[in-house]
Amino acid sequence: MDSYANLGLLRLCKQVCNSISEPTTGLYNNLLRILAKFEDYNDTHSVYQEMALNFIYPDEETYSIVLGSCSSLLDVVNGKTIHGHIVKMGFESFYLLDSALVEMYKTFGDCGDINDLSYWNPLIFAASQKRDAKEIFWLYKRMRMEKVQVDSFTAINLLRSSVDLGSLEAGRAIHSVVVVTGLRPDMPVNTALLTMYSKLGDLYNARLLFEQMPEKDCFVWNVIISAYCQSRYPEQSVELLRSMAKTGVRADLFTVLPVISSIRQLKSNWWA
């Protein structure tokens, strides 16, 4: 295959790949590298689809090459679809793919409409992958100048960035934006708000929000219990664990460890 590639005979490269009775991921990756080298980006996606039809599992190199092709073609639809595949396959934390996703979304952002969220959210996603909270808020400031309203994705990233900056004031401001713009407070937004208030030490608003949440999964209970533990309110954290048990939500290791710490603190206070 490499010999044909050196001569620029891409059609013969594909024929060699298709002639192998038991092709491997490495074989397909080699073909994808060749196609990308010769900027045959349309065929890279065809080969990716062929892998799926032949039950050949892609790896991080496969996804990196295909994402690069989507960037070059400005193919937003397939780019987002492949990002979904990456998440489902559990590859999102790989550094190689992290870089490829950031570059792809930056490219999509550069070609979008500045008055539309489809322009801003890819840029915010790219900044969030780098955990660059200052850049996210700078992008948000630019969004407001263009009179673009936030959606759930934007709000969640802004709330996480407030925590990264250690700014309760910024977090409260984003909460106000969520309320004023009429953004539906779904489970992910509510969880991000609860996490922000809990981690930044505003137990009053954290508890208020917690009590108002119509759905409370194990993660939500863990956030509020940990908040009380970290703020040195052991009695309340133990009481919350009892309430959690009554609702039928099963505790996990992240629930139990902070409560054990609280019980030790209670014993220490009692002996003191």
Side-chain angles (χ1 to χ4, degrees):
M1 192 188 298
D2 290 335
S3 298
Y4 288 130
N6 291 333
L7 297 172
L9 301 173
L10 301 187
R11 184 172 59 84
L12 292 177
C13 291
K14 296 174 204 171
Q15 287 180 1
V16 170
C17 185
N18 292 332
S19 68
I20 305 297
S21 58
E22 295 184 6
T24 63
T25 302
L27 179 70
Y28 274 107
N29 284 349
N30 193 25
L31 177 58
L32 286 169
R33 281 195 300 271
I34 291 168
L35 294 173
K37 178 182 177 181
F38 285 91
E39 299 183 356
D40 192 350
Y41 300 123
N42 285 311
D43 270 355
T44 57
H45 192 69
S46 298
V47 170
Y48 173 71
Q49 291 177 319
E50 187 179 313
M51 289 178 69
L53 291 173
N54 290 331
F55 300 100
I56 305 297
Y57 288 101
D59 60 13
E60 61 270 23
E61 185 179 8
T62 315
Y63 285 124
S64 177
I65 297 168
V66 178
L67 287 172
S69 297
C70 291
S71 297
S72 299
L73 293 171
L74 301 179
D75 188 349
V76 178
V77 174
N78 278 323
K80 290 184 176 180
T81 300
I82 291 164
H83 186 186
H85 296 170
I86 289 168
V87 173
K88 287 180 181 178
M89 293 291 288
F91 281 112
E92 197 172 26
S93 61
F94 281 70
Y95 175 77
L96 182 65
L97 293 182
D98 185 30
S99 301
L101 283 165
V102 167
E103 291 305 314
M104 182 184 75
Y105 279 114
K106 275 187 176 179
T107 303
F108 292 166
D110 289 341
C111 66
D113 179 1
I114 198 169
N115 295 311
D116 192 88
L117 269 173
S118 62
Y119 175 89
W120 296 102
N121 276 348
L123 297 177
I124 288 173
F125 171 81
S128 70
Q129 293 295 95
K130 297 183 293 181
R131 299 301 295 264
D132 193 337
K134 290 183 178 179
E135 183 179 349
I136 289 173
F137 271 97
W138 181 83
L139 288 166
Y140 171 61
K141 184 178 179 181
R142 291 287 310 278
M143 279 178 63
R144 294 192 65 180
M145 290 170 63
E146 300 297 334
K147 296 182 171 55
V148 179
Q149 299 287 359
V150 303
D151 64 0
S152 295
F153 176 87
T154 323
I156 289 168
N157 277 285
L158 287 166
L159 290 167
R160 288 173 179 168
S161 297
S162 301
V163 174
D164 290 341
L165 291 172
S167 175
L168 180 59
E169 182 182 357
R172 285 173 174 166
I174 300 306
H175 191 179
S176 298
V177 170
V178 169
V179 174
V180 170
T181 57
L183 185 65
R184 188 172 70 87
D186 55 14
M187 184 70 168
V189 172
N190 275 334
T191 303
L193 282 165
L194 177 65
T195 303
M196 181 272 295
Y197 281 123
S198 297
K199 289 191 174 181
L200 295 178
D202 187 345
L203 283 184
Y204 175 80
N205 278 308
R207 187 60 181 265
L208 190 65
L209 187 68
F210 173 79
E211 297 296 345
Q212 292 173 349
M213 290 177 72
E215 298 177 49
K216 300 180 182 72
D217 59 13
C218 183
F219 180 81
V220 168
W221 281 98
N222 288 352
V223 170
I224 194 69
I225 289 171
S226 294
Y228 275 96
C229 290
Q230 290 169 7
S231 297
R232 298 189 178 279
Y233 290 106
E235 296 92 344
Q236 287 87 339
S237 63
V238 173
E239 186 58 39
L240 279 165
L241 180 62
R242 292 196 185 102
S243 300
M244 180 182 180
K246 289 177 183 177
T247 65
V249 178
R250 295 187 65 178
D252 62 13
L253 185 64
F254 296 101
T255 320
V256 175
L257 288 178
V259 175
I260 290 174
S261 176
S262 291
I263 292 171
R264 286 175 178 166
Q265 189 178 340
L266 280 170
K267 287 183 177 179
S268 176
N269 292 344
W270 186 79
W271 283 108

